[in-house]
Amino acid sequence: MVARTRKGLGQAVNPHLFRDCAATSIAIDDPAHVGIASRLLGHRSGSTTERFYNQARSVEASRLMQKFLLARRKGRLGGAD
């Protein structure tokens, strides 16, 4: 898998990273089913998956805030100055 992704994408991607990306997508797009991520990643403890979930949600919140701030800077959003 690593060799194929390096050849096809120009960047090596290992199997754990694929699982990690899938779990992040679940945490962001379908948080009600975040328990799936625990099985996907092979976590024995739900607290491990919970930390992962919290990290994914934090990244998503940061992205949304950045998008808001950029829109505000470009004058797309009104508000008190």
Side-chain angles (χ1 to χ4, degrees):
M1 181 179 289
V2 173
R4 287 183 183 257
T5 56
R6 183 181 294 118
K7 182 179 178 181
L9 303 173
Q11 179 69 37
V13 180
N14 63 45
H16 182 76
L17 184 55
F18 274 111
R19 292 191 308 270
D20 190 50
C21 290
T24 299
S25 295
I26 292 167
I28 291 171
D29 298 329
D30 193 10
H33 294 102
V34 75
I36 297 168
S38 184
R39 291 188 300 275
L40 181 66
L41 295 171
H43 293 159
R44 292 183 191 149
S45 167
S47 63
T48 303
T49 306
E50 185 176 344
R51 283 195 319 267
F52 180 84
Y53 168 77
N54 290 337
Q55 178 183 0
R57 298 300 294 169
S58 177
V59 168
E60 182 67 7
S62 295
R63 288 180 180 153
L64 290 172
M65 179 58 85
Q66 180 182 27
K67 183 178 177 179
F68 170 80
L69 292 173
L70 288 173
R72 177 79 190 251
R73 181 181 291 169
K74 292 178 181 180
R76 292 185 195 148
L77 299 173
D81 291 319

